[in-house]
Structure formats: structure tokens, C-alpha cells
Amino acid sequence: TTRTSSIIPTIGEEQNIVLDLKGYSLTVSSQITNNGTLKIIDSNENQTGKLISTVSSAYIVNNYGTLELNGGGIISNNATLYNNSTGTIKIDGANITISNVTNGINNNGGTIEMNSGSYTFNTTQSSSSAIYGKGSLVINGGTINAQNKTTSAINLSQGMSFIQNGGEINSVNTGIRGDSATITINAGKITSNSDGISVYNTVKANINGGEIYGKNNGIYCATYSSGILNISGGKITSDKNGLSLSNYYSGTLGVTSNITGGIIEGGTYGIYVTSGTITLGTNDGTISLENPEITGGTYGVSISVGNAPLEVNYYDGVLKGKTGGYSGNFTLIPDKYYINTENIDETYVSTLQVADNFLKIGEKEYNSFSDAFQDVSNGEIIELLNTTRTSSIIPTIGEEQNIV
């Protein structure tokens, strides 16, 4: 049976209401205001029940309390699901479709948790997002599909916290956009026709697992202040750049990125960096030749020096590319190591290897400037042996030293 109601009472703070659709459709033409607890379920085994909102220029639900969407369909063509700072929304089995608004779900400082079900957002409006706002958003499961002209599936701002422990996010444009927010990806999947994740300003992002794909960039960082990106696991891929780090404004400090694990792949570059501080691995005296793994269609890592502060350090991992393992110059590599590049099955593979001795004082040979400068006496000559080596560590020469 289909029913239409134009009068939906406000749910009081002390009320705890369960609405069972039971496979039927309920059309509402006025906003639902929830101050208490409202749970929407569908006990029909086929889950054919629907709550259809025909509200225009208002909210499907204006939520101040607890809203649980546990079954059936929630459909709206002209209204937003709004969550206030005191509100909690839990999506656990419902199938939500919202169309023709700027932001499908607007979180104004509250908490949203999605465990299962689906959410499809379809709009022709510009600067639009399936989920937008501040507060807290946790995705443990389910699927989000952002279609048509959606700018980003999820747009995080004003310190919003986002955690993905599972589920799938599919976007016709950017997957996750973060502006001064905190992002943690532990598992799940992000698929985007633009950037999988794009971050700006003072974003703090931790990628610990999951799969991230963006057609243009797997992850794109454009900060003009102290953003932080840590990657310890997962797989990040793109048709162009797996990871792209640049400065938002010319000459400004870029993101600080620490990459200790995971796989990063790009059709052009695995990592493309023009600003900021990026460190591959950990300078702990132990070298991994496998992790992180950076692969590009041309270069695994491309370092492009511009007019912005730039530091790129290489302590662990393998760099692969059809043209070369890397291009440009690293700022620091471990002492007593050099970067060795081999052509293996038409792919250049670069790893850190222990350096041969390339310096000599008297009859003693060294593979480290630090050791040689420590042992050299005033007036002694340090000879460069017939070997080409690049060293990123040159000790400071003291006032009393006289070195040739």
C-alpha cells in the first residue's frame, strides 16, 4: 500500500520511535524533525519498503537526535538529509537515493556512521558533494555512488574527521576532498574519475590500507601550509600519477609526507613531487629493498625542482619505471649506500645498495665521507678512487681542519 502524508509531527527528545515500512511506500511532503531517536526499518524480506520525500528547499530529516536507517529505501529528489552538531546518523542496511541538491547529506558537526547498505547521489549542481561538512564520519561498509556532476563524493572541512574501515566509494569526480580535516584509510576501496583523494591546507592524512584509484591522481596534495600525509600500507594507483605533491601557492611550504609502506603506481609517475618534504622509508640503519614499492610508466619517482621548498629523502623501497627508476636528485640517502639501477625485463629498477670504497687516506679505503673526514689528519689527502658515487652526506669541515 502507498500512503502520502503532509503532516509529520516533530519527534521529542524523550521519544524513541521505530518506523517499520513493511515493504510499503510512504510519501512525505513535509520535513521530519528528530530530537529523540528515530529508527527506520523494513521487516519485509524483499526490502521493498520506501520512504519517499517530496520536500523541496528543506530537509528530508532535520536531525538533532539519533537517526538509524536500517532498512528499506530513502528517496528524495529535492531535499537534503541534515545532521546537526548534536545528531548521530547510523546507516545500516538502508538504500538511500538523493538527487538534485548541492549536498546530499550535510553534517554540521555531528556524527555519521555507515556500516552497510547503499547511498546514491545524483545531481547536476556545481560544487556538490554526496556528504559534506564537519564533525565525524566513519565508513565501515556499504557503498557510496556519486554520479552525474558531483564535485566530490565526500567533502571534508573545518576539522572534520573521516575514517574508512571498509566499504566502497565511487565518484564521477573526486573521491575524498579534505580541507583542514583528518583522514584515516584503514581498508575499503575508493574509485574516482579524477583524484582518488585530494587534500589541501592543514590536512592530516594516514593511509594504512585499502585501495585508492584516481584517473588523474591516486592522491593529490596541494597545501600552502603544514599538511601531513603518512602512507604505511594499501595500494594507490592512477592512470597518471599515483601520488602528486605540489604547492598551492608559488614559493610556499608544501606537505610533509612519510611513506613507509604500501604500493604506489602511476601510468606516468608513481610519485610526482615539486614541493614539500617527502621521505621514503625510515632512516633506522636497516634497508628494505621491497617496501614501499613505487612504480611509474616513465619514472617511479619524478623530482621537479621549482621555486618552492623541496626535500626528497630515500631510505627504503624499490623504484621502478620504463624510462628510469627515478629522475631528479634526492636530498638524503643513507650513509655508506648508493642508488643502484638495473634494467630487468625492460623495466629500470632502482634500490639502495652498500657503496664500494670510493675514498682513500694513505692505504686505508672508505665508503663514507663521514668516516673519512673523522679519520683524516690535518694535511692528509683524501683521494677519490676511480668510481662514480653520489653522496648526500658531506660532513662540516671544522675551523682547525686542513683537508685536501
Side-chain angles (χ1 to χ4, degrees):
T1 302
T2 301
R3 289 288 184 263
T4 300
S5 176
S6 61
I7 301 176
I8 300 295
T10 297
I11 299 170
E13 292 183 10
E14 302 300 321
Q15 289 186 291
N16 186 339
I17 295 175
V18 178
L19 174 62
D20 186 355
L21 298 172
K22 298 193 74 170
Y24 302 124
S25 295
L26 173 64
T27 300
V28 296
S29 58
S30 62
Q31 171 182 289
I32 301 172
T33 300
N34 177 42
N35 296 300
T37 298
L38 172 61
K39 181 185 292 186
I40 299 175
I41 67 173
D42 185 5
S43 60
N44 183 285
E45 63 178 351
N46 295 318
Q47 292 287 297
T48 54
K50 295 180 180 65
L51 174 66
I52 303 169
S53 175
T54 59
V55 175
S56 180
S57 302
Y59 306 133
I60 309 164
V61 178
N62 189 10
N63 184 55
Y64 293 91
T66 299
L67 175 64
E68 298 183 17
L69 306 176
N70 292 356
I74 311 295
I75 301 172
S76 174
N77 287 323
N78 293 290
T80 295
L81 184 59
Y82 194 85
N83 194 38
N84 292 277
S85 60
T86 58
T88 297
I89 296 176
K90 294 183 179 180
I91 303 169
D92 201 350
N95 298 307
I96 304 168
T97 302
I98 299 177
S99 306
N100 301 322
V101 292
T102 302
N103 298 305
I105 299 177
N106 195 328
N107 191 30
N108 188 23
T111 299
I112 298 175
E113 179 181 309
M114 184 173 186
N115 298 311
S116 62
S118 67
Y119 170 31
T120 299
F121 179 65
N122 191 328
T123 187
T124 59
Q125 297 192 29
S126 60
S127 301
S128 56
S129 303
I131 301 176
Y132 170 82
K134 55 186 179 179
S136 173
L137 171 63
V138 178
I139 296 179
N140 298 314
T143 303
I144 296 175
N145 296 306
Q147 302 174 347
N148 210 335
K149 294 186 178 181
T150 306
T151 305
S152 57
I154 298 174
N155 190 346
L156 313 170
S157 67
Q158 303 178 51
M160 187 172 184
S161 170
F162 171 68
I163 300 174
Q164 185 176 4
N165 296 316
E168 295 187 15
I169 300 170
N170 304 305
S171 180
V172 70
N173 208 313
T174 298
I176 310 294
R177 186 188 190 279
D179 190 340
S180 303
T182 300
I183 300 171
T184 302
I185 309 295
N186 296 317
K189 191 174 183 178
I190 299 170
T191 303
S192 163
N193 204 39
S194 179
D195 299 331
I197 297 177
S198 63
V199 296
Y200 302 85
N201 301 340
T202 56
V203 163
K204 295 181 180 179
N206 296 289
I207 312 300
N208 304 315
E211 298 180 29
I212 301 168
Y213 166 79
K215 185 175 182 179
N216 294 335
N217 299 285
I219 299 178
Y220 174 70
C221 301
T223 65
Y224 55 84
S225 54
S226 53
I228 297 174
L229 170 64
N230 298 316
I231 301 174
S232 62
K235 186 174 184 179
I236 302 164
T237 59
S238 173
D239 294 358
K240 296 180 181 179
N241 303 316
L243 171 61
S244 179
L245 306 173
S246 66
N247 58 316
Y248 195 78
Y249 290 124
S250 177
T252 57
L253 181 66
V255 71
T256 297
S257 179
N258 302 295
I259 303 173
T260 57
I263 297 171
I264 302 176
E265 298 178 350
T268 304
Y269 304 121
I271 297 175
Y272 176 69
V273 55
T274 63
S275 73
T277 300
I278 179 171
T279 301
L280 303 178
T282 305
N283 188 18
D284 58 3
T286 302
I287 307 299
S288 171
L289 303 180
E290 299 176 351
N291 201 27
E293 182 180 335
I294 317 295
T295 304
T298 55
Y299 295 102
V301 175
S302 176
I303 304 168
S304 179
V305 178
N307 60 351
L310 175 62
E311 179 179 326
V312 186
N313 306 316
Y314 179 27
Y315 297 123
D316 288 302
V318 56
L319 316 178
K320 303 177 184 179
K322 293 296 184 182
T323 305
Y326 66 99
S327 67
N329 296 313
F330 288 100
T331 308
L332 293 174
I333 64 173
D335 193 23
K336 302 181 183 180
Y337 283 82
Y338 75 101
I339 302 174
N340 179 65
T341 300
E342 299 178 272
N343 191 324
I344 302 175
D345 296 329
E346 299 184 352
T347 297
Y348 290 94
V349 179
S350 298
T351 55
L352 292 164
Q353 301 292 333
V354 177
D356 298 328
N357 294 331
F358 64 100
L359 299 172
K360 183 177 181 181
I361 303 173
E363 297 302 318
K364 186 175 181 180
E365 296 182 353
Y366 301 83
N367 67 349
S368 161
F369 269 111
S370 296
D371 290 349
F373 274 51
Q374 183 177 348
D375 287 356
V376 69
S377 301
N378 285 342
E380 281 191 308
I381 296 175
I382 299 177
E383 298 179 50
L384 182 65
L385 301 178
N386 188 23
T387 306
T388 301
R389 285 290 180 265
T390 298
S391 178
S392 61
I393 301 177
I394 304 294
T396 299
I397 299 170
E399 292 182 6
E400 303 300 322
Q401 286 186 295
N402 181 357
I403 295 175
V404 179

